[in-house]
Amino acid sequence: MPYEPIAPITWKDGQVEMIDQTRLPGELVIIHPRTVEEMWDAIKKLKVRGAPAIGIAAALGLYLAIKNSRAGDRAEFEAELKQAAAYLASSRPTAVNLFWALKRVQQAVAAATTDDVSSLKELVLKEALAIRDEDEAMCRAIGENGASLLQDAEAVLTHCNAGTLATARYGTALAPIYYLASRGKVLKVFADETRPLLQGARLTAWELHQAGIPVTLITDNMAATVMARGWVQAVIVGADRITANGDVANKIGTYGVAILAREHGIPFYVAAPASTFDLSLSSGDQIPIEERDPAEVSHFGLRPTAPEGINIFNPAFDVTPHRYVTAIITERGIIRPPYKQNIARII
Ligand SMILES: CSC[C@H]1O[C@H](OP(=O)(O)O)[C@H](O)[C@@H]1O
């Protein structure tokens, strides 16, 4: 039986079941957000994180917000739903999947033929679960589509975590690695630790090790040496938002890895579902970049690693210009330059 990567967020026995990713790799802790406020907090604090997983969490957060609604009619119900969507949208600004999912659930309710509030409540949950199920299928397809690009490689480098923990299951950047492994082609993976929150060390290394895939953890400043020594034949990363021209917002540090890959003649692949594309933005300089608590940079847990009172810059994402992107792997196929035309054709 091929290895089945873990699903980070599901709906089971009438409640959200979610891995608290801030507790990994030391402990596998399952939590059950019961209110929209608890879901907002889980997204904000990266208990659930990764663009597709954030979208699923937001959609389920909408259901938590309205499941006990006492709205007297459809108009009141839709007003409550809109208010909850605005609240969840305030949790994190960069991953477009969050906004895409909130909009999709609201549109499903708007298109409903019933005015019965109980039926509309059920519809919200049904749409949230459809988003989750479809994301799992998209990740499988990304795995299959991406495999053709990696099948001749021995090792790849990845940044942050775009694995099963960032999606419904299987991941985006790690999906081709899981797909190939299930067919007997086991790639080696070099995982950037990915400061400051260490998604690579804590999450990518953990999930690949669980899957029996040989993973080597490196600090972010080792990527150049790994490439210079010829140890990797490709780089593959996820994305939080891709604009109409193919610019890619992803975890801070991705842009630097892309430049290093270009310098070393190594292909730089981005893996993402269609729900990560934002065609309303023409280029990456329009993408809102989340800036987080400076303490994430100045402390290692509770231990200060920088003097008090200094300036700290802590953007959670950067933007890689499309010119550094070799190809974008989606569930609909592989998109190559010229990106503006080919994204418009495929997405
Ligand atoms: C498959 S989307 C993964 C994407 O999201 C991560 O950001 P965060 O951990 O802050 O949610 C990172 O940018 C990953 O590449």
Side-chain angles (χ1 to χ4, degrees):
M1 179 68 183
Y3 172 74
E4 276 294 289
I6 199 164
I9 179 169
T10 55
W11 180 262
K12 191 174 178 184
D13 302 331
Q15 59 181 355
V16 175
E17 191 161 283
M18 181 197 286
I19 295 174
D20 179 349
Q21 298 190 31
T22 64
R23 306 288 290 274
L24 287 172
E27 301 171 272
L28 181 56
V29 174
I30 304 296
I31 57 176
H32 304 282
R34 289 181 170 76
T35 65
V36 66
E37 292 78 11
E38 287 178 13
M39 188 61 90
W40 187 97
D41 186 69
I43 295 170
K44 182 68 176 178
K45 293 179 179 171
L46 279 71
K47 293 180 180 179
V48 61
R49 33 72 44 209
I54 290 174
I56 297 163
L60 287 171
L62 278 181
Y63 180 66
L64 296 178
I66 55 83
K67 64 186 176 68
N68 297 320
S69 168
R70 299 169 62 83
D73 58 29
R74 177 179 180 140
E76 193 179 342
F77 178 80
E78 289 193 78
E80 286 180 15
L81 194 66
K82 184 177 180 182
Q83 186 178 10
Y87 173 63
L88 287 160
S90 70
S91 56
R92 295 187 74 191
T94 303
V96 71
N97 310 61
L98 184 149
F99 310 97
W100 167 85
L102 293 171
K103 182 178 177 184
R104 171 169 160 175
V105 172
Q106 292 177 93
Q107 285 177 333
V109 169
T113 54
T114 179
D115 289 337
D116 174 58
V117 171
S118 296
S119 302
L120 294 174
K121 289 180 183 180
E122 289 170 14
L123 178 60
V124 169
L125 178 58
K126 182 183 174 193
E127 197 67 18
L129 296 180
I131 288 170
R132 196 220 71 83
D133 293 346
E134 289 168 24
D135 186 72
E136 180 168 331
M138 286 189 283
C139 289
R140 282 180 183 267
I142 287 171
E144 192 164 350
N145 292 339
S148 62
L149 298 176
L150 302 183
Q151 63 189 6
D152 297 331
E154 283 189 19
V156 300
L157 182 141
T158 192
H159 190 75
C160 196
N161 173 259
T164 195
L165 290 169
T167 63
R169 196 196 300 266
Y170 297 110
T172 54
L174 299 191
I177 295 162
Y178 287 129
Y179 178 85
L180 286 168
S182 70
R183 281 153 182 76
K185 164 73 175 178
V186 182
L187 286 166
K188 298 172 189 167
V189 179
F190 286 82
D192 284 352
E193 68 172 355
T194 315
R195 273 192 54 79
L197 295 181
L198 306 178
Q199 287 92 327
R202 295 187 304 107
L203 306 177
T204 295
W206 180 81
E207 71 169 79
L208 289 175
H209 188 61
Q210 292 284 318
I213 290 173
V215 53
T216 301
L217 177 61
I218 61 173
T219 58
D220 300 329
N221 52 14
M222 295 176 188
T225 294
V226 165
M227 291 185 197
R229 293 190 181 188
W231 288 352
V232 294
Q233 292 77 45
V235 173
I236 187 164
V237 299
D240 291 83
R241 196 181 300 221
I242 302 173
T243 55
N245 70 341
D247 290 346
V248 176
N250 198 50
K251 184 52 51 193
I252 188 72
T254 303
Y255 178 27
V257 170
I259 293 170
L260 288 173
R262 172 60 53 86
E263 172 63 22
H264 291 88
I266 295 169
F268 179 84
Y269 299 124
V270 174
S275 53
T276 302
F277 287 75
D278 182 353
L279 305 188
S280 73
L281 301 183
S282 57
S283 65
D285 54 11
Q286 301 168 305
I287 299 173
I289 300 297
E290 178 185 11
E291 292 206 22
R292 294 183 61 86
D293 184 350
E296 293 176 353
V297 174
S298 61
H299 288 69
F300 201 81
L302 297 174
R303 180 166 163 260
T305 54
E308 279 194 34
I310 60 167
N311 297 324
I312 290 172
F313 179 41
N314 185 22
F317 302 96
D318 60 22
V319 175
T320 299
H322 61 82
R323 67 180 178 274
Y324 290 103
V325 180
T326 308
I328 303 173
I329 306 158
T330 75
E331 71 279 19
R332 300 178 185 178
I334 296 173
I335 303 176
R336 293 182 182 275
Y339 285 120
K340 191 172 180 179
Q341 295 90 307
N342 290 332
I343 287 173
R345 180 169 55 84
I346 294 176
I347 301 298

